[in-house]
Amino acid sequence: MVTGNISGILRPRVMSLCRRYLLFVSAVLFIVSFFWYRNLYQHKQQDSFKPRKTVLQSKIDAMYHKLEKLIPDVTFTYFSTTTSGKHSRVFLVNPRETYCVGDDLVVQVDMFDHLGNRKTYGGDFVRPRLFSAELTAAVSGIITDFNNGSYHVRFPLYWAGKAKVNILLFHPSEGVAALWRARHSSLGVIGFEGKYEKFGKEAASKCGFELPVVEGKEICEYEDTLYEEAYYCYKVPNFTCESLREMRGYELDVSYLTPEEREMFKRPNVAVEIPTTFDDITVTRCKNETEAPKPKCETGMSSPLPSGFFYNKVWNPVYCNMTLYKTDEDFLKCLKGKKLFLIGDSTLRQFMMYFTEGIRIVNYFCYHESGWSSWHKALEAINLEKDLYISYKRHGFPLEHPSFYYFKEDMYTSRQIDQTAGGKDTIFVITMGQHFRHFPVTVFIKRAFNIRRAVERLFIRSPDTRVIIKSENTREVYSPVEMQGDFHGYTQYLVLREVFQGINVGFIDAWDMTVASATVVVHPPEYTFQSIISMAFSFACS
């Protein structure tokens, strides 16, 4: 009886405690669940407000990372431990007394530093060519980097006679890594200034791809949403953003290289010839076989490496037959009844000067200067009798020019293409590169992809339009390396080759042509230019 009474007394208390415990646990679980779901919701809300990466930006990122993998992962320590052109050597691989046309000549390059120590890693920026001064013949070489301080360079042998190997060390691997880092350490090594005009009054303001927020200063945004392109200027008080009229570029006088790194880019250390351990080679025609006929050059063809060679001052593409254009009649036969749009930089203005001041097949319209004066101006030229129209326009922001110039007509190349109907009587020749070397390579990559997309749209509405893409030229060795050096141009050349694969355009490998001919001026002279322009119109009028 006693036990039963105790049980009867305790049972309600135990049940009450259990209920309280369950209520407590339920409350804790509710609170935990509430905060968990709230945090999840907030993260989802934050994610929804994050700008989603566009298809274009994804392509830009992929291309950038592909290039970055080519950059040596090395760190500068001392100048004396960087690659020395004078201490390095070039050897023949499997040397022979004579070589045959159609064979390959392979040489090995062994790199040493300034102390005479063997380099144990690769990544040097080397420019090889095989040439004959007597025959005015030359071809570039294909480099294999073994990443241990040794390289093989393969030269296809295209002509009979004597030939000399010339290999230049432009920058050591430490310099390549430093240039890549410096290029992407800022938004550029030149600045821009915009001039605003309103009812006769003028004022200037700083502009650029990005501007820091400054208290009290408004920023004008000049955005082209279709192409995801934009630049900015600080708004001038009492002026509207729409009153921006002129633009100029100027050097910022900044460097993102250390003083010690800059030693690698002083003139005596750039483009140093690596000594060879052998004399000129002799090439003969060992077989009487006739060469297989090549098709005429047409748009859509893939350009190999090397893409051709010079012989007797004429470029010979290895994959097609180029038509040599030299006289006014040659060009008139091609261009009569056509509209030719040249879009790019001064290396295409050189085309316009050739047509107007060289062979004189057209006359300038409302332009009374000559030569390189006012090279930054857009130009038009016509020949009423032959129904021929030629236009030269710049590729749009950025353009490096120290004086203010009217730039409102500087639409992006892609927009200029989009605003042209096209057709079988329309030819585009497009280039860019030299004015992009001052900025992170992503700026150039975006522009290249945008031009390709515009060309694709053009071909949908006007598939008969001829489009020719010209890669950039090499330039002066004494150009400031961090701003304008050829290593920057080479990375852009690789981008352009890849972006315009698999599309029905003609690709002028001006980089390969200027390397082969050892051109050291940004506007190639004589036979190099003649071959570049002949290649363009072989595609345009095939």
Side-chain angles (χ1 to χ4, degrees):
M1 292 294 293
V2 176
T3 305
N5 288 338
I6 293 174
S7 176
I9 294 170
L10 292 177
R11 187 179 292 113
R13 292 180 180 178
V14 170
M15 292 178 67
S16 176
L17 288 171
C18 288
R19 281 195 296 269
R20 290 179 182 178
Y21 176 75
L22 289 172
L23 287 171
F24 172 76
V25 171
S26 298
V28 170
L29 289 173
F30 174 79
I31 293 169
V32 170
S33 300
F34 172 78
F35 283 104
W36 186 82
Y37 280 110
R38 190 184 72 170
N39 289 337
L40 179 64
Y41 175 77
Q42 287 177 341
H43 282 304
K44 286 185 175 180
Q45 288 293 98
Q46 290 171 1
D47 289 342
S48 67
F49 286 112
K50 287 180 181 178
R52 295 185 180 276
K53 186 179 290 188
T54 64
V55 173
L56 174 60
Q57 189 60 50
S58 296
K59 288 183 175 181
I60 294 167
D61 291 346
M63 181 68 73
Y64 174 83
H65 292 310
K66 191 171 184 177
L67 281 177
E68 193 172 37
K69 289 179 181 178
L70 303 176
I71 307 302
D73 184 17
V74 296
T75 303
F76 176 88
T77 51
Y78 304 102
F79 176 77
S80 59
T81 61
T82 64
T83 314
S84 164
K86 292 181 179 179
H87 286 81
S88 300
R89 290 292 181 270
V90 181
F91 304 86
L92 284 172
V93 175
N94 299 323
R96 292 152 50 181
E97 287 190 12
T98 60
Y99 295 82
C100 298
V101 172
D103 289 347
D104 287 339
L105 173 71
V106 180
V107 301
Q108 179 165 323
V109 185
D110 289 339
M111 297 298 194
F112 293 80
D113 65 21
H114 292 269
L115 299 174
N117 299 316
R118 184 81 154 73
K119 293 298 290 285
T120 58
Y121 48 87
D124 302 290
F125 183 42
V126 176
R127 184 175 296 172
R129 62 189 290 260
L130 180 75
F131 72 99
S132 167
E134 295 76 19
L135 299 172
T136 323
V139 66
S140 65
I142 306 300
I143 301 171
T144 300
D145 186 349
F146 294 110
N147 296 310
N148 62 1
S150 289
Y151 303 79
H152 275 184
V153 182
R154 179 176 63 85
F155 297 102
L157 300 177
Y158 290 118
W159 66 85
K162 295 285 187 180
K164 179 179 179 61
V165 170
N166 174 259
I167 299 181
L168 301 178
L169 173 65
F170 261 70
H171 308 306
S173 50
E174 296 84 0
V176 169
L179 286 174
W180 181 262
R181 187 205 72 241
R183 186 175 187 180
H184 299 97
S185 297
S186 72
L187 288 171
V189 290
I190 65 169
F192 291 94
E193 192 175 30
K195 181 186 288 186
Y196 289 79
E197 294 190 14
K198 183 180 178 182
F199 301 129
K201 295 182 179 179
E202 297 180 351
S205 180
K206 183 180 178 181
C207 303
F209 282 111
E210 279 188 22
L211 292 174
V213 175
V214 177
E215 186 176 354
K217 282 191 175 184
E218 294 182 54
I219 294 178
C220 293
E221 180 181 39
Y222 301 96
E223 183 180 16
D224 197 320
T225 55
L226 176 61
Y227 310 109
E228 301 176 33
E229 296 273 12
Y231 61 91
Y232 306 86
C233 296
Y234 287 121
K235 186 177 182 298
V236 179
N238 301 319
F239 285 79
T240 64
C241 293
E242 292 76 17
S243 62
L244 177 64
R245 170 186 168 90
E246 296 185 345
M247 188 73 73
R248 77 178 187 95
Y250 59 92
E251 291 189 28
L252 291 174
D253 194 26
V254 296
S255 174
Y256 295 91
L257 299 168
T258 66
E260 293 77 17
E261 287 174 334
R262 288 198 287 272
E263 184 74 19
M264 293 186 286
F265 307 112
K266 290 182 178 178
R267 177 62 192 91
N269 300 320
V270 176
V272 178
E273 184 173 359
I274 302 175
T276 57
T277 59
F278 53 92
D279 296 326
D280 296 357
I281 65 163
T282 302
V283 185
T284 62
R285 293 195 176 275
C286 305
K287 303 174 185 177
N288 293 322
E289 295 178 3
T290 57
E291 291 185 15
K294 293 182 292 187
K296 62 182 179 180
C297 295
E298 295 181 336
T299 56
M301 288 181 164
S302 179
S303 176
L305 286 174
S307 60
F309 62 98
F310 280 101
Y311 187 78
N312 284 338
K313 298 185 177 181
V314 175
W315 181 251
N316 294 264
V318 297
Y319 60 99
C320 65
N321 275 320
M322 182 188 81
T323 301
L324 185 60
Y325 286 81
K326 295 188 73 172
T327 69
D328 56 348
E329 288 301 320
D330 293 334
F331 284 97
L332 284 172
K333 184 179 178 181
C334 167
L335 294 173
K336 183 179 180 181
K338 301 281 193 359
K339 297 188 290 291
L340 171 61
F341 296 93
L342 306 170
I343 308 174
D345 53 35
S346 60
T347 63
L348 281 190
R349 191 185 191 277
Q350 190 178 9
F351 281 37
M352 175 66 96
M353 290 165 56
Y354 180 73
F355 292 139
T356 53
E357 303 171 36
I359 57 175
R360 300 179 182 275
I361 60 172
V362 285
N363 294 313
Y364 286 125
F365 178 75
C366 289
Y367 179 74
H368 306 291
E369 299 176 67
S370 62
W372 290 106
S373 58
S374 302
W375 63 264
H376 55 284
K377 289 185 177 180
L379 299 171
E380 291 181 300
I382 55 176
N383 182 330
L384 294 177
E385 181 184 350
K386 302 295 182 181
D387 190 23
L388 171 56
Y389 170 85
I390 302 178
S391 164
Y392 163 72
K393 288 189 177 180
R394 303 174 293 266
H395 53 54
F397 190 86
L399 188 84
E400 178 194 5
H401 191 272
S403 301
F404 281 112
Y405 66 95
Y406 182 72
F407 89 111
K408 297 287 282 187
E409 61 195 354
D410 277 8
M411 295 180 290
Y412 296 116
T413 302
S414 42
R415 185 162 291 282
Q416 294 186 50
I417 296 169
D418 280 335
Q419 292 185 349
T420 306
K424 62 182 178 64
D425 295 329
T426 301
I427 303 167
F428 285 95
V429 182
I430 298 164
T431 195
M432 63 173 191
Q434 298 291 341
H435 294 261
F436 290 80
R437 295 185 179 191
H438 312 80
F439 304 97
V441 72
T442 48
V443 175
F444 180 86
I445 295 171
K446 176 184 286 188
R447 201 64 58 87
F449 275 124
N450 271 329
I451 293 172
R452 166 150 183 156
R453 295 197 301 177
V455 170
E456 288 171 341
R457 292 190 290 267
L458 172 66
F459 285 158
I460 290 172
R461 65 180 182 269
S462 301
D464 294 334
T465 310
R466 296 296 175 95
V467 178
I468 295 93
I469 305 295
K470 173 192 162 294
S471 74
E472 61 189 281
N473 311 329
T474 55
R475 64 176 304 143
E476 294 79 3
V477 176
Y478 56 77
S479 297
V481 174
E482 190 174 355
M483 287 181 60
Q484 301 170 332
D486 271 351
F487 173 70
H488 296 329
Y490 177 67
T491 58
Q492 294 175 174
Y493 163 69
L494 295 179
V495 170
L496 215 59
R497 280 188 65 90
E498 182 154 339
V499 168
F500 286 96
Q501 283 184 359
I503 187 171
N504 190 32
V505 301
F507 186 81
I508 308 171
D509 198 337
W511 183 271
D512 194 29
M513 297 167 79
T514 50
V515 167
S517 61
T519 300
V520 290
V521 289
V522 69
H523 305 113
E526 302 173 350
Y527 71 89
T528 305
F529 172 75
Q530 202 71 55
S531 287
I532 290 173
I533 202 168
S534 292
M535 198 72 196
F537 291 98
S538 294
F539 288 128
C541 300
S542 58

